[in-house]
Amino acid sequence: MKFNLIFCFLCLLILNCEDKQTKKKPTPEAQVETKETPKTTKSPKKKTREFPKLTDKNAMDFFLEYDKHHKENKVRITTDFGTIDILLYNETKFHRSNFIWLTKQKYFNNTQFYRVIDNFMVQAGNSDDKETVRKREYIGKYLLPPDTKRGFKHDRGVISMPSSEIDNPHKLASPYEFFIVQQEGGSHFLDGDYTIFGHVTKGMDVVDKIASVDTDSADWPNKNIYIRNVEIIE
């Protein structure tokens, strides 16, 4: 009897130890070490420039080379009042190339006719919009030398390039802007001071409409007149 009690006690002791060990044993899931896959961060690609940032030092060489490969000279300007077709002169190649190049860069899109004087001229290529400033900063800051001895006159319908507003005794041209002579009989007092680089072939009625709008004291139209698109047609 005593032996049976001892035997039962030993069995219970063994079973109790095995139960404790079972509870301490970790599950397979707990043994697996979860490792996070390292995230690879891609560095943003830098936008590569298709052309150099232009300055007074490199602009002339750039447009001289550009002229050799880009001979387009017919452009259509779509405005809020209609379309204006212009022919650019090969004789003033730096100014022609500049206008063609800016057209391809879509610079003129959404700029405005910002200075309008009836029976004189309409001037365009600028804007009070921040996007225009951003475009100029990206393209570069440069001026073009005048090219006024080609025999062209500021007749009605010619397209010419205004000089920069800075102290500019040599009448260096502001490359981002242009004006179209609207005055009947022309504005020949401008001859010799500003570079004529083209003329309107179609759409002088649109120029006349733009010239007739109401303006403020600075000749800025009371209602903005946008250039919606400029495209090369040939």
Side-chain angles (χ1 to χ4, degrees):
M1 182 69 179
K2 186 176 180 179
F3 176 79
N4 290 337
L5 289 171
I6 293 170
F7 179 78
C8 290
F9 176 76
L10 289 173
C11 289
L12 289 170
L13 183 64
I14 292 168
L15 289 171
N16 186 50
C17 289
E18 286 180 353
D19 184 62
K20 287 180 179 179
Q21 288 178 358
T22 302
K23 290 179 180 178
K24 289 180 181 179
K25 189 176 180 180
T27 63
E29 290 77 12
Q31 285 179 334
V32 177
E33 185 178 350
T34 57
K35 294 182 179 180
E36 292 185 3
T37 305
K39 295 180 180 179
T40 55
T41 55
K42 294 182 179 179
S43 56
K45 292 183 178 179
K46 291 183 179 179
K47 185 179 179 181
T48 55
R49 296 183 66 95
E50 297 178 4
F51 52 85
K53 190 167 186 175
L54 296 184
T55 66
D56 288 333
K57 292 182 179 180
N58 66 8
M60 294 299 289
D61 289 336
F62 176 83
F63 288 119
L64 183 62
E65 184 64 26
Y66 192 85
D67 176 71
K68 296 176 182 178
H69 309 285
H70 301 268
K71 299 296 184 181
E72 302 95 330
N73 64 355
K74 294 179 182 177
V75 177
R76 175 166 295 153
I77 302 171
T78 301
T79 77
D80 288 338
F81 286 75
T83 60
I84 304 168
D85 291 353
I86 60 176
L87 172 69
L88 304 178
Y89 299 150
N90 295 322
E91 291 87 341
T92 50
K93 59 184 176 182
F94 291 109
H95 300 74
R96 182 198 64 80
S97 296
N98 173 77
F99 198 90
I100 291 294
W101 183 71
L102 289 178
T103 296
K104 289 185 177 182
Q105 302 308 311
K106 300 189 181 302
Y107 165 75
F108 294 112
N109 293 7
N110 297 315
T111 58
Q112 301 172 25
F113 284 89
Y114 66 93
R115 188 171 178 230
V116 169
I117 303 175
D118 195 17
N119 198 32
F120 178 30
M121 61 89 200
V122 295
Q123 190 162 319
N126 205 343
S127 170
D128 53 4
D129 188 81
K130 291 181 179 179
E131 179 66 13
T132 300
V133 176
R134 187 198 64 78
K135 287 180 182 179
R136 291 191 181 200
E137 288 178 349
Y138 183 74
I139 293 170
K141 185 178 180 181
Y142 63 101
L143 298 174
L144 294 177
D147 192 355
T148 60
K149 298 180 180 179
R150 303 290 180 178
F152 303 125
K153 303 293 183 182
H154 281 85
D155 297 325
R156 172 176 160 85
V158 303
I159 180 170
S160 188
M161 193 169 289
S163 59
S164 171
E165 293 180 355
I166 64 172
D167 185 16
N168 191 4
H170 300 294
K171 297 289 185 181
L172 298 178
S174 177
Y176 294 108
E177 300 162 23
F178 63 93
F179 67 89
I180 300 171
V181 176
Q182 185 258 343
Q183 184 175 356
E184 292 289 347
S187 300
H188 296 136
F189 65 93
L190 301 176
D191 295 345
D193 287 336
Y194 304 94
T195 301
I196 298 166
F197 62 101
H199 70 268
V200 174
T201 58
K202 183 181 178 182
M204 277 305 295
D205 58 324
V206 176
V207 175
D208 288 335
K209 289 177 184 177
I210 294 172
S212 66
V213 302
D214 294 330
T215 63
D216 62 16
S217 58
D219 302 318
W220 192 295
N222 291 336
K223 183 178 180 181
N224 289 338
I225 304 172
Y226 285 95
I227 293 176
R228 298 300 177 179
N229 187 48
V230 179
E231 60 186 316
I232 296 167
I233 53 179
E234 188 177 329

